[in-house]
Amino acid sequence: MKKSLQYGDKIIYMEGIIVDVSDGAVGIDLKGRLGYLKIPKRMLISDYEIRPGQEVGFNMSFIEQLTDEPNEAYVSNQINHSPRSGC
């Protein structure tokens, strides 16, 4: 059974700078020394060519851990489909 969030949603507006653009992803340094976020390129809404140095803005909420145990199906899937080193 899926656990529901215990805390109310608090939407926070955040900004960042694009620092990395690859074929499928965009890397963003968050303003205020809050870290780094990497998202699929398809999630970035833009009317322009995406280039490093451009500013982005988005709404975000807090992330809440839902369970104390790992999702075994997900973990097993990651182990079975991850590239093996040295092969």
Side-chain angles (χ1 to χ4, degrees):
M1 183 168 106
K2 194 171 194 177
K3 180 181 171 187
S4 63
L5 297 177
Q6 294 180 358
Y7 298 91
D9 200 16
K10 181 177 180 183
I11 302 297
I12 302 165
Y13 179 75
M14 301 182 79
E15 292 183 347
I17 304 290
I18 296 173
V19 294
D20 182 42
V21 179
S22 66
D23 287 341
V26 177
I28 301 166
D29 272 341
L30 303 179
K31 290 184 178 179
R33 296 176 21 179
L34 293 176
Y36 177 84
L37 183 66
K38 191 169 190 175
I39 62 168
K41 192 183 270 187
R42 68 179 181 273
M43 289 182 65
L44 181 60
I45 300 167
S46 178
D47 292 331
Y48 314 103
E49 178 187 351
I50 300 168
R51 297 181 304 190
Q54 293 171 321
E55 293 183 287
V56 295
F58 57 96
N59 290 317
M60 189 169 183
S61 186
F62 296 105
I63 298 172
E64 181 179 344
Q65 183 178 352
L66 298 177
T67 65
D68 62 340
E69 294 294 324
N71 180 323
E72 293 300 330
Y74 180 82
V75 171
S76 174
N77 190 37
Q78 290 297 308
I79 291 170
N80 292 334
H81 292 93
S82 65
R84 307 279 194 261
S85 61
C87 291

